[in-house]
Every structure is written in structure tokens, then in C-alpha cells.
Amino acid sequence: MNGFDWDWQFTFEVMPTILEAAKVTLLATLLGSCLAIVVGLSFALLRRSGFFLVRSITYWIVEFVRSTPLLVQIFFLYYVMPEFGISMSPLLTGVLALGLHYGAYLSEVFRSGIDGVEKGQWEASRALNLSVFDTYKDIVLPQALRPMIPATGNYIIAMFKETPQLSAITLLEMLQVAKIIGSENFRYLEPFTLVGVLYLLFSLIAAYGIHCVERRFPKEGITLK
Amino acid sequence: MSQPLIEFQGVEKRFGDTVIFKDFNFSVEDGEIVSIIGPSGSGKSTLLRILMTLEGIEGGVVNVAGEPLWHKRTANGLVPADNKHLHRMRHHLGMVFQHFNLFPHMSVKRNITEAPMRVQGKTKAEAEAIADELLELVGMSDKADMYPNELSGGQKQRVGIARALAMQPSILLLDEITSALDPELVDEVLDVIRNLAKKHSFTMLLVTHEMYFAREISDRVCFFDQGAIVEEGEPEQIFTAPKETRTQAFLNAYMSQ
Ligand SMILES: Nc1ncnc2c1ncn2[C@@H]1O[C@H](COP(=O)(O)OP(=O)(O)OP(=O)(O)O)[C@@H](O)[C@H]1O
Ligand SMILES: [Mg+2]
């Protein structure tokens, strides 16, 4: 069968399988985002270290990660690391690769967010004798957060849209599953369309969510307890 | 004479190639209120910022309460201070800023309790008791739960003063604390300082353009120009009979404004 004769019955047949795979995609994105935020924040803070060596090493790591394709990093983690005795499941590899790759991008977002906090806030913190840790935790990061939200959100959506790259290491995410369904049934139209629609749907929901978070976030920042 | 509470000995301070202080000497006695006046760019803020450890020095020694501020005494003489030493020395000092620098994401009360809780390890209840007392002192008891952006400039600055006092410094550094305020709000802030000067035995170092206030409150007035003390003395003398021509010129220019 060819052409645009959409088969609703087939669509509903394959829907549960694809939705099941969507969970994997979402899980990889969710865990990847969490890791990316941790990695990004760590890199951002290391870039502000008092030690020149720490600053420049971090700079080069970030540059390296940002200027090599995600797929290369995925392959490296999946096929090369086992040679060093570290083998990981496709999901874990995917989460690590996404987290590292997007962490490098997020570190720039976080860095400019932190830089955006007024110098006077640092000076007041120092005059009050707050430790560097407390200054970041109580004063600087709570104020830096809001301006970081839109860019962070965009990167997370971008990450979500790049999860199909993980199919290259046999992760059964949405696109991979759709392809398998297609090749088994000789029908690609419905599964791929479904995947496309789901991506669109999730992206729109996420974008709206980010918008809401940003709008409801107090302009001055938040107080962490 | 007892040892001065603050002592600059041959201090050198540069920003790149710009020399701000060269062989600078200056001292303040315990309990003394000293006003610093002088033209823009003469190094008044820099002096306070060195004391608050916001700016380092390139040479000489600054002593606070008999201990070097920017150095540590060791068997081999003075070595540059580490963070621990600076942290300990900062307990002597508190600073109120021209632009308040309140924490915008914290309530007035939290602005004041933050440091006592985090730095001195006070419980929330202890810190809040201190905050209540200080808010009363600066006449802001009814604004404890407001946020800085809901306050007028004068109110912000009174919170700034309370916040600095919460750490119980023995030296209070005030850098043009009224110059960002609308004229009608200046007095409510100066009143707080007047009260402090009367009731408490703080050592105060204030940079100000409010000459009448400097004259009224100070034990001593220092006229700064180009990183040096051109003239210092009792306020009456400085304001009514300045000896140096540069002081005269500065005060004349100020009066004619
Ligand atoms: N971070 C800095 N980098 C470079 N130069 C600086 C820096 N801070 C201050 N300066 C310079 O040092 C000199 C003294 O500055 P300072 O702020 O101490 O002057 P001031 O007497 O407080 O002046 P004002 O009355 O305008 O506040 C000025 O020439 C200023 O440009
Ligand atoms: Mg100044």
C-alpha cells in the first residue's frame, strides 16, 4: 500500500507501543536534563574558580564538548569506554552523553546568569562575612535563576529533540521503535507521523510550561530555605 | 596614647598603573568618629573598601585592632592573609553602602537575620530577636515583612544600617550613605546615625558630602585629595578656618553650589 491512505486502525494498533517508547524518550530527556543542570552548574562555578588552572581546564573541556558532535560523544561512551572496562546500558550511556553535552551548553547560560547578578550583592555578602558557599546558595544563585530559565528551557527542548540520536546505540526510544514497527509492517506513514506529532506535542507543552515557570517566578529571585 | 583601632602604615594601592595611595598613613582611635571629605576620585571609597576587605593593597600594612588586616603574622614575618584570617578580621567591621545593596529576594527581616544565622550560627529565634531590636532602632519595625523594592530609598538605607549592625561590628564604615537619596529622605537616615553616635560607642568612618552633618557628628574631619590627607582636624577648624588652600578651594566650591 502506498500513498496517503491513512489507516486509523493501524494507527491505534501501534499507538501503545510508540507511547511506551515515548516513556523512554522522556525518561532519557528528564534524567539527561537533571544531569545537564548539575554538570552545567559545576562547570559554571569551576569557570569562576580562583585557580587559573582550574578555570582554563574547565574552559577547554567545555569548548571540546561543544565543538564535537553529540553522536561522536555517544559512540565514544558506548563503544570505546568498554575497552577501559566501563560498559553501560544504552539508556545510561544516552543520559550521560546528553547530560555532558548539554551541560557544556548550560554552563554558558549559568555563567552569564551568575555574571548578571550585581557586584554590590557580592560586596554586601562579603561585608557581612558570608562564606563563598552561602553567598552562592543564598544570595547569588537565587537571583541568577530567573534570567536562566528561558535559555535552559530551550536547551532542554533541544535535548529532547535530539534523543533519536540514541537510537544509534540501540536505545528503544520513540523513533527507533517507530522504525522497527514500520519495517515489520511495511508501513511507515502512521508510526513516523505519530512520532512527529508526539514530538510536537511534548515540545509545545514544555515550551508553555517553561513560559509559565518564568512568568510566575518572582522577579527578585527566590529565597531558598 | 593607646594603640589606634585602625592604622594604615605606608599603604600602597594601585589599580593597574593608576596609583591611588602611595606611602599612605592614617589612623583612627577607638570610639572616634571620623569624616572623610574630598573631591571625586580622591580615594575615599577605596579607603573604606580596603578596610572592608573589598580591595586588596599592594604595599604597606593595615592594622585593625592591633592585628594586620591583609597579612598574617608568622615566624618569618608578615605573609599575605588567607581567607580564614580575613574572615576573622571582618568581624570587626561593618559597612553601609551608597546603593544599599540589600538582598532583593529577601524580606527586610531576612536581610538582617541572614548573616547572624549563617555566619554566627545563631538560631532563627535569636537572629530575629536581634533583627526586631535593630528594626526598632532604625524605626522600621512595621516594615519587617516587606521586600526591599517596596521601600523608599531612606527606608532601604535604614535597613542597610540595621543589617550591618546585626553583625555587631566595632567599626562602622559608611560610604556616602545618603547620596543616592532624594533630599527629603536624607535626614531620616542621618538621624539614625546621630542616634547611633550618641548611644553607642562605635568607631565610625564616614565618607560624606553632607558637610553640615560631618561638622555636627565628627570628632575629626579629614580632607582627602589625590590619595593623600591634605588636612585634618576638628570639624570647627576644618570648616571655619581651613589652613590649606586646597581645602579652602574645595569648601568654597561646595558652599557656592
Ligand atoms: N576597580 C577599579 N578599577 C580601576 N580604577 C578604580 C577602581 N575603583 C576605583 N578606581 C579609581 O580610583 C580612584 C579613587 O576612587 P574612589 O572610588 O576611591 O574615589 P572617591 O573618593 O570615593 O570618589 P567619589 O567621591 O566619586 O565616590 C578613582 O580615580 C577611580 O577611578
Ligand atoms: Mg566614593
Side-chain angles (χ1 to χ4, degrees), chain A residues 193-206:
Chain A
T193 309
L194 262 182
V195 168
V197 168
L198 283 175
Y199 267 109
L200 180 69
L201 210 63
F202 286 136
S203 296
L204 286 178
I205 293 172

Side-chain angles (χ1 to χ4, degrees), chain B residues 91 113-124 126-127 167:
Chain B
H91 280 114
T113 57
E114 171 73 12
M117 280 163 64
R118 294 284 186 253
V119 183
Q120 298 177 327
K122 295 212 155 69
T123 64
K124 193 165 180 230
E126 288 167 340
M167 292 298 283

Side-chain angles (χ1 to χ4, degrees), chain A residues 164-193:
Chain A
Q165 298 212 31
L166 300 180
S167 63
I169 52 169
T170 73
L171 182 70
L172 293 174
E173 46 68 56
M174 270 201 290
L175 193 68
Q176 175 80 339
V177 167
K179 202 176 107 194
I180 294 169
I181 292 172
S183 64
E184 279 171 356
N185 298 278
F186 308 105
R187 260 195 93 89
Y188 288 99
L189 174 64
E190 289 82 1
F192 280 165
T193 309

Side-chain angles (χ1 to χ4, degrees), chain B residues 15 20 38-47 55 98 175-176 209:
Chain B
F15 287 110
I20 310 297
S40 183
S42 56
K44 307 180 299 293
S45 297
T46 305
L47 176 81
E55 297 287 354
Q98 179 177 359
D175 190 0
E176 297 195 34
H209 288 298

Side-chain angles (χ1 to χ4, degrees), chain A residues 118-121 123-131 134 137-139 142-143 220-225, chain B residues 49 52-54 87 90-91 93 95 97 101-106 110 114-115 118-119 149 163-164 167:
Chain A
E118 261 182 71
K119 205 168 129 247
Q121 297 291 308
E123 296 189 343
S125 304
R126 166 146 338 164
L128 289 169
N129 225 344
L130 293 177
S131 66
D134 284 334
K137 173 173 71 69
D138 291 353
I139 311 300
Q143 293 183 64
E220 311 76 41
I222 48 160
T223 313
L224 306 171
K225 285 297 153 218
Chain B
R49 291 169 57 80
M52 197 61 259
T53 70
L54 300 174
H87 184 81
R90 268 183 223 120
H91 280 114
L93 299 141
M95 185 158 181
F97 297 89
N101 297 352
L102 295 182
F103 304 133
H105 57 303
M106 293 179 171
R110 181 65 200 261
E114 171 73 12
R118 294 284 186 253
V119 183
N149 64 1
R163 185 178 68 173
M167 292 298 283

